[in-house]
Amino acid sequence: MANYKLLKRLNSIMHLLKSYPNISKQHLLDRLMTDYDMDVSERTLERDFQNLKNEFGLDVIYNYDSKGYSVEDTAQLTTFFKFAELSSLAELYAEGLKDYDTFQKWIIPDDSERFKGVEYLKPILNAITQSLKLKFDKVNYYRKTEKQYTVNPIRIKEYLNRWYLVAVPDGQDEILNFGIDRISNLIVTDEPARKSDKFEEQLKNYEDIVGLNYNESINREPEEIIVKTTNEQLKYLRSLPLHKSQVCIDGQGGSNWGRVTYHLKPNYEFEIQLLKLGDQVEVMEPKWFRDKIARHIKRINTIYKN
């Protein structure tokens, strides 16, 4: 796997390829120097293209007509950017933030709770790669109880800047999500875990939803959701998509309202994300989902009338 210095350069190259479709090789080298202070030779750039393909499965495409390079905006690219982002944060903390006074001066933390349990990420990953069971205590905030679990770890999943362990508890056959901020006393056991390939079909359920809860729509087929939204809001949705199926279409003919389509199974998390956008969006289709959102808004309106 690429070291941090190489990863940083690869990340810069991919951002430029995405920002400047069909960019020429010389323009790309110039932007690396201008934007990132990286003096890169043509030979090194060619090796970097090969590294992107071999290590991350990302193809840099050469267009013979425009004589420029580009990259397809795929889920693989999004995953690469997330990996590079997390690696950069790790490097930042390891090298640049050893001094607490510097941290206080330059960093404005938002919610420290979302960092609870991050020390468990490494042992959890080790358990997954070595196929070993995990044992931990987990707090239930709603019931105000604590329960010990022994689980077969399968994946780590991120949602809304928080991390979750995807695992199957002993004696069960269904995947559960465990927020690592609610985990304590974690131990990597020496007991072999069940093979994760037995749960691949369940893992696919995450692909058709927003967030973590797929049980409420487990028997429903993905469908097209059409949302009307302002052109201004479209800019934010493009930068932070609610789902990988999202397609944004700007308003035509001077209209200030564009359209967003999704192909997914609507769940509670998706409803909440749309409601957070307030009067900037209007669900158009399907009718049953539009009516459901309208009922949410009606209940909210009733509360504020009293």
Side-chain angles (χ1 to χ4, degrees):
M1 185 55 67
N3 60 40
Y4 175 70
K5 185 176 179 181
L6 173 57
L7 181 61
K8 184 178 180 181
R9 190 170 70 243
L10 296 180
N11 187 41
S12 301
I13 290 169
M14 295 308 287
H15 275 290
L16 288 171
L17 290 171
K18 187 178 178 182
S19 300
Y20 301 95
N22 294 315
I23 186 173
S24 69
K25 182 181 289 185
Q26 188 57 54
H27 188 196
L28 181 55
L29 294 171
D30 291 343
R31 301 274 0 155
L32 283 169
M33 174 60 78
T34 303
D35 297 353
Y36 300 101
D37 197 25
M38 294 180 180
D39 189 5
V40 180
S41 68
E42 287 192 26
R43 187 173 180 179
T44 298
L45 184 63
E46 291 294 340
R47 284 201 302 266
D48 288 344
F49 287 166
Q50 197 60 46
N51 277 322
L52 285 163
K53 181 177 179 63
N54 294 340
E55 295 201 28
F56 301 101
L58 295 169
D59 285 314
V60 177
I61 303 166
Y62 181 72
N63 188 313
Y64 287 93
D65 293 331
S66 64
K67 295 183 173 57
Y69 295 87
S70 60
V71 62
E72 290 187 16
D73 196 354
T74 62
Q76 190 79 2
L77 180 59
T78 301
T79 302
F80 169 78
F81 282 142
K82 176 57 68 176
F83 173 70
E85 175 190 345
L86 291 174
S87 297
S88 296
L89 284 173
E91 183 73 10
L92 181 67
Y93 276 87
E95 299 298 329
L97 293 176
K98 293 178 180 177
D99 185 282
Y100 184 69
D101 290 335
T102 302
F103 178 86
Q104 288 185 307
K105 181 178 179 181
W106 296 112
I107 304 297
I108 304 175
D110 182 15
D111 177 10
S112 60
E113 285 295 306
R114 71 182 182 179
F115 293 108
K116 281 185 64 177
V118 292
E119 69 273 16
Y120 293 140
L121 285 176
K122 185 174 181 179
I124 289 173
L125 281 170
N126 287 337
I128 293 173
T129 56
Q130 297 175 44
S131 296
L132 296 173
K133 290 185 181 181
L134 289 167
K135 185 178 291 185
F136 55 82
D137 297 325
K138 189 239 180 187
V139 174
N140 186 311
Y141 290 154
Y142 181 73
R143 297 176 182 171
K144 297 181 180 179
T145 59
E146 187 169 286
K147 180 179 178 180
Q148 187 178 80
Y149 285 87
T150 299
V151 303
N152 303 271
I154 301 174
R155 296 286 193 277
I156 291 178
K157 181 173 172 57
E158 182 194 14
Y159 179 57
L160 295 180
N161 292 321
R162 278 185 164 84
W163 293 95
Y164 297 84
L165 166 64
V166 180
V168 177
D170 269 3
Q172 299 185 31
D173 292 312
E174 296 294 325
I175 285 174
L176 293 180
N177 306 299
F178 299 90
I180 67 165
D181 59 321
R182 302 185 187 185
I183 287 176
S184 62
N185 304 319
L186 183 135
I187 298 172
V188 179
T189 74
D190 56 5
E191 186 179 353
R194 296 166 66 183
K195 290 185 177 180
S196 63
D197 55 8
K198 295 180 179 293
F199 308 104
E200 290 299 320
E201 284 302 313
Q202 289 186 51
L203 287 171
K204 290 179 182 177
N205 289 313
Y206 288 115
E207 298 177 5
D208 296 323
I209 64 164
V210 170
L212 303 163
N213 183 11
Y214 61 76
N215 287 320
E216 67 178 278
S217 56
I218 191 70
N219 296 317
R220 186 183 300 151
E221 290 298 316
E223 56 188 308
E224 186 175 74
I225 311 297
I226 300 177
V227 178
K228 180 181 173 184
T229 184
T230 62
N231 287 332
E232 191 65 27
Q233 187 61 51
L234 280 174
K235 299 174 184 177
Y236 296 101
L237 287 172
R238 283 193 174 101
S239 64
L240 290 172
L242 300 185
H243 187 258
K244 65 180 182 179
S245 66
Q246 176 181 289
V247 176
C248 296
I249 304 170
D250 289 320
Q252 304 296 318
S255 171
N256 188 45
W257 288 84
R259 189 178 70 171
V260 189
T261 63
Y262 299 93
H263 189 74
L264 47 68
K265 298 178 181 179
N267 61 352
Y268 180 71
E269 283 107 323
F270 183 53
E271 294 169 22
I272 293 301
Q273 292 302 315
L274 292 178
L275 288 167
K276 282 165 61 176
L277 300 178
D279 62 358
Q280 298 295 299
V281 302
E282 179 186 355
V283 174
M284 307 302 292
E285 297 179 20
K287 186 178 185 303
W288 74 265
F289 188 59
R290 175 185 171 89
D291 291 343
K292 190 173 186 182
I293 296 295
R295 287 195 296 272
H296 280 303
I297 296 170
K298 186 176 180 179
R299 284 195 293 268
I300 293 171
N301 187 47
T302 300
I303 292 171
Y304 279 92
K305 278 185 174 180
N306 295 332

